[in-house]
Amino acid sequence: MTIIQTKSSTTNKVLNYPLNTWYVAAWDHEVTRKLISRKVADKPLAIYRTEDGRPVALADACWHRLAPLSQGKLLTKDEIQCPYHGIVYNSAGRCVSMPAQETINPSATVPSYPIVERHRFVWVWLGDASLANPDTIPDMHQMDHPEWAGDGLTIPVTCNYQLVLDNLMDLTHEEFVHGSSIGQAELSESDFEVTHDDTTVTVSRWMRGIDAPPFWLKNMRDKFPGFTGKVDRWQIIHFEAPSTINIDVGVAKAGTGAPEGDRSQGVNGYVMNTITPETARSAHYFWAFMRNYRLESQLITSQLRAGVSGVFKEDEDMLLAQQTAIDANPDYEFYNLNIDAGGLWVRRLIEKMLEDEGRSVSAGRTGRVSDAN
């Protein structure tokens, strides 16, 4: 394969984030009748459920003196009371009660954001509410489909969200960062294909007739006790703008037809990833590993969650080191290789979303995110 070296078109690697889109604010089980605070795309939110179970996301700042509403308390029905002076708001963010006066100032409101519960996540829209179409939420149906089982966690990463996307779009790093679990030399040696459209990017890689790395050998033996021999391995990385990446992964007994679509002699999983920017230097990384074999085994679910957590901890350490180096070298431009093709298309799609919103592509070195308009 010819190595192509080019400089990145984005000088400052700290990318801004679109707002006219859905981001995961929390797992569904996190949103209860107890208030939680969560920052999404630099916006602090107060999140809770009404008595009838609806999730609510309000700006986490009282109209009166900007006290955090997440430190207040929930009253009956859908109301939240400010912890400082007791002003009460409904789920639409409109004040319904003020202390020591009967007349309510009509301007007494806080922003209320569209919020939808889907695929075991609670998604919030921070941009133009008139554009908030739930049908555009990324497809993560494996998260709650009866033919799939699994679980995941949240990783608080201390880097720009784009670095996580870069990491997931090029899995050749597994050979070097995850050599004891899922990495192997064939990752760098194998060919790959990149396709894209206006909102998605897909990177497909097949490795035929190889030894299964430790992680996948264990999974094969969970389904086929005593398995030995070569496998065909696949990684199909599918990105949906601006920050969801679902990776179709697995291995099957070599030569049994997996590349042609017959995966019955193998094990198949989906690594579900959706990354929510918190600030220019931090993100909420929601992930899960879902499988379509041995669905009844909670032991396998727990083992997979623990195993993938260990793999992702290695990524987390590398991403922190990378962000630290970027901050120390603010004028350095990335060089790109063939393996960066998928990640470059991801950046182009995000940049196009930002341009359509009239917002800046990159954030300043201080971590502040400035709008162009």
Side-chain angles (χ1 to χ4, degrees):
M1 178 180 292
T2 302
I3 301 301
I4 301 173
Q5 294 188 349
T6 62
K7 284 191 175 184
S8 173
S9 61
T10 305
T11 302
N12 189 326
K13 278 75 66 179
V14 180
L15 289 191
N16 205 335
Y17 13 82
L19 295 180
N20 286 330
T21 191
W22 296 99
Y23 290 115
V24 169
W27 287 85
D28 54 6
H29 63 79
E30 293 183 281
V31 181
T32 66
R33 288 291 291 168
K34 182 178 180 180
L35 287 159
I36 63 170
S37 175
R38 189 65 44 90
K39 182 178 285 187
V40 175
D42 274 328
K43 294 184 182 294
L45 303 175
I47 301 173
Y48 66 97
R49 286 190 189 276
T50 63
E51 284 186 338
D52 62 4
R54 291 185 301 107
V56 175
L58 300 180
D60 195 12
C62 179
W63 163 86
H64 178 222
R65 289 291 187 270
L66 299 182
L69 294 178
S70 60
Q71 297 180 20
K73 65 180 180 180
L74 296 179
L75 306 179
T76 58
K77 297 182 180 179
D78 61 355
E79 297 171 349
I80 181 173
Q81 185 177 59
C82 174
Y84 195 7
H85 296 98
I87 294 177
V88 178
Y89 302 90
N90 63 18
S91 62
R94 181 162 296 280
C95 175
V96 295
S97 175
M98 286 182 168
Q101 64 185 67
E102 294 183 4
T103 303
I104 297 175
N105 189 318
S107 69
T109 61
V110 296
S112 176
Y113 299 99
I115 189 166
V116 173
E117 198 165 356
R118 187 166 295 176
H119 307 316
R120 293 171 59 184
F121 293 126
V122 174
W123 304 75
V124 66
W125 180 285
L126 301 177
D128 183 346
S130 68
L131 302 177
N133 180 0
D135 291 341
T136 62
I137 289 175
D139 178 14
M140 303 183 79
H141 71 272
Q142 293 87 351
M143 293 292 296
D144 49 12
H145 194 282
E147 295 180 1
W148 295 85
D151 205 356
L153 295 168
T154 307
I155 303 173
V157 288
T158 49
C159 69
N160 182 257
Y161 80 110
Q162 180 64 54
L163 298 184
V164 185
L165 300 180
D166 287 345
N167 174 272
L168 292 168
M169 291 304 296
D170 168 29
L171 297 183
T172 60
H173 75 271
E174 291 177 358
E175 177 183 349
F176 312 102
V177 181
H178 311 304
S180 64
S181 55
I182 57 176
Q184 57 190 143
E186 287 85 353
L187 287 161
S188 298
E189 296 169 357
S190 60
D191 290 333
F192 61 92
E193 179 184 11
V194 180
T195 59
H196 62 88
D197 58 27
D198 291 341
T199 60
T200 70
V201 181
T202 301
V203 179
S204 303
R205 174 182 280 109
W206 282 88
M207 294 150 278
R208 295 171 172 84
I210 64 173
D211 292 324
F215 176 85
W216 285 113
L217 181 59
K218 190 269 182 192
N219 289 327
M220 278 292 280
R221 289 175 174 171
D222 282 339
K223 183 176 179 180
F224 307 104
F227 173 82
T228 60
K230 301 288 187 179
V231 298
D232 293 331
R233 181 181 180 184
W234 65 90
Q235 295 175 332
I236 302 172
I237 309 165
H238 184 70
F239 165 83
E240 288 192 56
S243 57
T244 295
I245 297 177
N246 299 325
I247 311 177
D248 175 3
V249 292
V251 296
K253 184 178 179 180
T256 58
E260 291 73 40
D262 179 8
R263 300 180 179 183
S264 62
Q265 296 301 306
V267 288
N268 189 188
Y270 266 81
V271 188
M272 318 298 289
N273 310 274
T274 188
I275 297 87
T276 297
E278 181 184 38
T279 69
R281 297 298 191 283
S282 62
H284 310 288
Y285 181 0
F286 298 90
W287 69 267
F289 187 93
M290 308 301 295
R291 70 184 187 282
N292 65 355
Y293 58 94
R294 296 289 307 277
L295 303 184
E296 82 291 345
S297 176
Q298 181 58 44
L299 174 61
I300 292 177
T301 294
S302 299
Q303 289 174 336
L304 283 170
R305 183 175 59 189
V308 176
S309 292
V311 171
F312 284 173
K313 180 61 171 66
E314 295 170 334
D315 284 318
E316 186 181 352
D317 293 342
M318 180 58 67
L319 290 169
L320 172 59
Q322 185 185 14
Q323 183 68 66
T324 300
I326 289 171
D327 291 340
N329 299 275
D331 297 324
Y332 190 83
E333 295 184 8
F334 280 171
Y335 283 86
N336 301 304
L337 307 178
N338 287 354
I339 57 176
D340 299 309
L344 288 172
W345 275 111
V346 166
R347 285 176 177 259
R348 288 169 185 162
L349 294 185
I350 294 173
E351 290 172 9
K352 179 62 166 55
M353 293 179 71
L354 290 166
E355 291 168 0
D356 289 346
E357 294 180 16
R359 305 178 67 241
S360 61
V361 169
S362 62
R365 188 181 177 192
T366 61
R368 295 178 181 177
V369 178
S370 59
D371 288 350
N373 55 352

